[in-house]
Amino acid sequence: MSVNTSRIDEEQKEVLKKDTIIRLFRYLLAYKKKIVLVLFIMGGTITISMLAPLLMEYAVNVCVAQKDINGLLYVGIGAIGLFLLFLVGTKVRMRIMAEVSNRVLLNIREELYQHIQSLGFGFFDSRPTGKVLARIIGDVNSLKDVLSDSVTQLIPDFITVICVLSIMLIKNYRLAMAALLTIPILAVGMFFIQTNVHKRWRVYRKKTSNLNGYVHEDLSGIRIIQSYAAEDETKEVFHDLVDQHYRSFIDAVIVADAFGPLVEITWGMGGFLLYFIGIKVVGVEQIGIGTFLAFSTYIAMFWSPIRNLANFYNKLTTNISAAERIFDIIDTEVEIKDEENAVELKELKGEVRFEEVSFAYGDEPDRLILDHVSFSVKPGETIALVGPTGAGKTTIVNLISRFYEVTGGEIFIDDQEIRSVTLKSLRSQMGIMTQDNFLFSGTIRDNIRYGRLNATDEEIEEAAKAVNAHEFIMKTEKGYDTEISERGAGLSIGQRQLLAFARTMVSKPGILILDEATSSIDTHTELLVQKGIEVLLKERTSFIIAHRLSTIRKADRIFVIDQGTIREAGSHDELMKLEGAYYQLYQSQFA
């Protein structure tokens, strides 16, 4: 199975920027009413901004020319009133769009998170957790300004450009054309800039993801790093990743920052052409001082939104790579999902049957982890799986829970093929214990209740007592209400295992899976755990994976797994009499 590490850039399929932009803005359609209100308010503010130069033209050409003081006063009062309306409208529309954009980000993040939770183990096995977090947090956050500005800036600026251009053409088409002569230069420059900058921002996002992935991995393994005094080595790796991140950012910014100077240069050239043609070609006397002043204002009103549009385009180009990364995960196919006609699995009896089951990872189809495995387990039977590392023991129990899809063959539980039942009804009746059980930050009570969220306090305490966890829990500061940190820091390995056993016990599973559940605890705790296991195994179909053969002697049957097949099967006494693979393994442990 190929794995992407924190030092390798993630592969990402190529998509058209246009498709990504359309898909991103489609999220805004859920808030049509608010956006329509914003557009209505913007229509008013744009109208006010368009009237301002006309009022100035009227004030100069009429009121000042005719020395009409009262008329000039009325024009000033009207201008102040319009300005106040403009400020209020701008404030309101920006507040509404801020709320809309944050809601859209919330929807995108929830959709992304929900989809990630539905992805199979193969997705998480192939990449560092930090890289997934980078998309959920950083990439989603980077879209906020794009979504907000798309309505509050893009639309009004575009409308302003159209309105100003129309007014200029009506008032004097020759001056308007003079101001537009530099637009082709701007368009060509922007095309070349965006072509290069988008690629560079994609590289920057990947380097950011690498850095996040490494930091998460480094902090998760801080005990190992300090135990081996490897701080200097990890510091060197971190420095290299930070340097790559820094250089990728500089490379992108150098090109992106060319947008501003390009607009300023074309703006300046347009202004020069306006005055040159207006004075030398048309003549000031044919235009009128007021009209010329109004036209000068309109030129500024024309180029200011052009600059804003260029900045928005730059921002869009900068952040569209983040949207691509988000949609790349959302479009990742869910490999393990309910079939169309899947039914609810009724309360388990516990019969399990493998029929010619084979399994290989998707990117290595020729390397079979399991090769045509067949067996049948009766309800309430305890099956132990033993064999060398990598033989396929854990794969068998993962396939029972349908964490991976079989490559060939079929798996039946209570005579129902597991692909024909819903995942929730299947997994909710499974109790899975591993060597490294994860505990969440919160109280001890909450961690045990995680096995069944509607469990009562009495059921929680009964489960803890059944697996011999109650005694040590009551010795903690607040008993079951004691707060523990992520992964149960502050608790011994044995205590963490006992809590995990209690969590499994309270779920009342129909099928129990113990994957090296006692390999990392001391002998005294193991005696307590073994008593808890006996309670858990009672009247339940159970699969136990163990390297310590002393812990599985009471199993009803023992499967010896090697090279993806079952080499031997039988009780402890039966296999010892055979003097085969199990016998040799047992003798080697107790020699």
Side-chain angles (χ1 to χ4, degrees):
M1 179 173 58
S2 60
V3 177
N4 175 261
T5 69
S6 58
R7 306 184 199 183
I8 301 176
D9 292 344
E10 296 170 282
E11 293 184 3
Q12 192 173 319
K13 61 183 179 182
E14 294 290 336
V15 293
L16 294 175
K17 292 193 289 292
K18 172 180 66 67
D19 295 338
T20 302
I21 293 171
I22 293 174
R23 183 175 179 180
L24 177 62
F25 289 153
R26 197 173 291 150
Y27 284 90
L28 293 171
L29 296 179
Y31 303 92
K32 292 189 290 289
K33 292 183 179 179
K34 290 188 175 182
I35 291 177
V36 169
L37 175 60
V38 169
L39 293 176
F40 177 77
I41 295 173
M42 285 194 304
T45 56
I46 292 172
T47 301
I48 292 173
S49 64
M50 293 297 105
L51 290 175
L54 297 177
L55 288 175
M56 181 176 63
E57 180 185 18
Y58 178 82
V60 174
N61 286 351
V62 178
C63 297
V64 174
Q66 298 178 4
K67 299 181 179 180
D68 184 1
I69 303 301
N70 290 332
L72 190 62
L73 181 62
Y74 291 145
V75 170
I77 294 173
I80 293 173
L82 291 175
F83 177 72
L84 292 175
L85 285 175
F86 180 86
L87 288 180
V88 172
T90 302
K91 185 74 173 178
V92 171
R93 70 178 173 83
M94 290 184 68
R95 182 171 182 176
I96 295 175
M97 273 312 300
E99 179 184 350
V100 169
S101 60
N102 278 288
R103 286 289 181 182
V104 170
L105 289 187
L106 177 64
N107 294 340
I108 293 175
R109 183 173 281 121
E110 287 183 343
E111 180 182 349
L112 178 61
Y113 181 74
Q114 183 176 355
H115 183 74
I116 288 174
Q117 283 198 313
S118 68
L119 296 175
F121 283 4
F123 173 83
F124 299 99
D125 292 342
S126 62
R127 70 201 69 207
T129 304
K131 290 194 174 186
V132 181
L133 291 175
R135 301 201 190 196
I136 298 175
I137 307 299
D139 289 341
V140 173
N141 285 341
S142 66
L143 300 177
K144 180 178 180 180
D145 290 341
V146 172
L147 291 168
S148 178
D149 292 349
S150 64
V151 176
T152 60
Q153 183 173 306
L154 177 63
I155 295 176
D157 285 339
F158 183 76
I159 294 174
T160 299
V161 168
I162 299 300
C163 292
V164 170
L165 182 59
S166 301
I167 293 173
M168 287 195 301
L169 288 171
I170 292 171
K171 295 191 72 65
N172 193 307
Y173 76 92
R174 287 180 293 181
L175 291 181
M177 295 305 295
L180 298 176
L181 286 176
T182 56
I183 292 295
I185 300 175
L186 177 64
V188 172
M190 288 181 64
F191 172 77
F192 281 106
I193 291 173
Q194 72 86 23
T195 301
N196 287 282
V197 78
H198 177 65
K199 297 177 182 178
R200 300 185 181 213
W201 282 121
R202 288 188 70 177
V203 173
Y204 167 72
R205 293 289 175 191
K206 291 179 180 180
K207 299 302 181 184
T208 302
S209 181
N210 290 348
L211 183 59
N212 285 339
Y214 182 76
V215 170
H216 182 273
E217 182 182 88
D218 188 66
L219 295 179
S220 298
I222 191 65
R223 293 177 183 270
I224 303 299
I225 292 170
Q226 292 184 355
S227 297
Y228 287 92
E231 291 88 348
D232 291 339
E233 287 78 4
T234 55
K235 181 181 178 181
E236 289 180 7
V237 176
F238 179 76
H239 176 76
D240 180 57
L241 291 175
V242 169
D243 184 63
Q244 293 180 31
H245 182 261
Y246 165 78
R247 291 182 183 277
S248 66
F249 178 75
I250 295 299
D251 288 343
V253 168
I254 287 175
V255 179
D257 283 353
F259 273 104
L262 177 64
V263 174
E264 297 296 335
I265 291 172
T266 51
W267 185 349
M269 293 171 61
F272 169 78
L273 291 174
L274 167 69
Y275 290 109
F276 179 80
I277 294 175
I279 296 172
K280 294 292 185 180
V281 179
V282 181
V284 179
E285 65 280 356
Q286 297 184 26
I287 301 175
I289 298 298
T291 302
F292 208 99
L293 289 173
F295 219 95
S296 299
T297 304
Y298 278 125
I299 288 296
M301 292 179 63
F302 175 80
W303 278 101
S304 180
I306 288 291
R307 180 179 58 189
N308 293 338
L309 290 173
N311 288 335
F312 175 80
Y313 187 65
N314 185 20
K315 188 181 298 182
L316 182 64
T317 305
T318 300
N319 294 302
I320 200 65
S321 57
E324 289 173 347
R325 286 164 51 81
I326 292 169
F327 296 142
D328 181 60
I329 286 190
I330 291 178
D331 292 339
T332 300
E333 185 178 354
V334 180
E335 296 179 355
I336 312 296
K337 57 185 177 182
D338 292 337
E339 293 189 350
E340 187 175 348
N341 298 319
V343 297
E344 294 289 319
L345 181 63
K346 298 179 180 179
E347 185 174 352
L348 284 180
K349 296 178 182 177
E351 181 184 355
V352 179
R353 189 168 77 252
F354 273 45
E355 293 188 357
E356 297 293 320
V357 172
S358 297
F359 174 77
Y361 289 107
D363 54 351
E364 297 178 304
D366 297 329
R367 192 172 74 89
L368 290 178
I369 308 300
L370 294 181
D371 187 5
H372 295 85
V373 173
S374 298
F375 62 82
S376 180
V377 178
K378 299 176 182 178
E381 196 172 8
T382 297
I383 304 297
L385 305 177
V386 301
T389 301
K393 303 184 297 296
T394 300
T395 301
I396 289 176
V397 295
N398 281 337
L399 291 177
I400 294 174
S401 303
R402 208 182 161 204
F403 290 133
Y404 297 95
E405 208 73 277
V406 297
T407 305
E410 295 178 305
I411 301 174
F412 295 86
I413 293 181
D414 293 349
D415 290 326
Q416 285 186 282
E417 217 283 334
I418 61 173
R419 286 172 291 193
S420 68
V421 300
T422 62
L423 285 171
K424 186 174 183 179
S425 65
L426 172 68
R427 293 176 182 171
S428 63
Q429 300 189 67
M430 300 271 180
I432 303 173
M433 278 283 300
T434 63
Q435 180 178 353
D436 182 23
N437 284 283
F438 193 93
L439 295 179
F440 298 90
S441 57
T443 65
I444 290 176
R445 190 187 308 278
D446 290 338
N447 270 276
I448 297 176
R449 182 177 277 123
Y450 206 83
R452 183 161 56 89
L453 297 179
N454 61 352
T456 64
D457 291 346
E458 291 75 16
E459 289 175 319
I460 290 172
E461 292 190 19
E462 286 176 7
K465 289 176 181 178
V467 297
N468 295 298
H470 178 76
E471 183 178 350
F472 97 82
I473 292 174
M474 296 309 296
K475 291 180 180 179
T476 59
E477 182 181 2
K478 297 181 181 178
Y480 286 87
D481 294 318
T482 299
E483 294 280 345
I484 59 177
S485 61
E486 181 184 329
R487 296 184 181 273
L491 298 177
S492 69
I493 294 176
Q495 289 172 333
R496 293 199 293 268
Q497 290 293 87
L498 289 174
L499 289 183
F501 271 112
R503 180 170 61 194
T504 303
M505 185 69 181
V506 82
S507 68
K508 298 180 179 179
I511 294 178
L512 180 65
I513 295 172
L514 303 179
D515 188 352
E516 294 291 340
T518 63
S519 62
S520 58
I521 56 179
D522 58 82
T523 305
H524 172 72
T525 305
E526 184 180 353
L527 294 175
L528 295 176
V529 170
Q530 287 295 345
K531 294 179 181 179
I533 290 177
E534 291 178 6
V535 176
L536 283 171
L537 296 180
K538 190 175 182 181
E539 298 181 356
R540 286 189 177 91
T541 302
S542 306
F543 292 85
I544 304 175
I545 298 176
H547 284 297
R548 280 191 281 184
L549 303 185
S550 60
T551 62
I552 58 164
R553 293 183 60 173
K554 295 181 180 180
D556 296 310
R557 279 189 293 164
I558 299 171
F559 293 169
V560 181
I561 314 296
D562 191 16
Q563 297 182 356
T565 61
I566 300 177
R567 298 294 184 186
E568 297 176 359
S571 67
H572 171 78
D573 293 336
E574 290 171 345
L575 293 180
M576 290 297 290
K577 290 178 181 179
L578 286 177
E579 296 188 1
Y582 179 79
Y583 176 84
Q584 297 296 330
L585 190 62
Y586 191 86
Q587 291 296 326
S588 65
Q589 285 198 11
F590 292 92

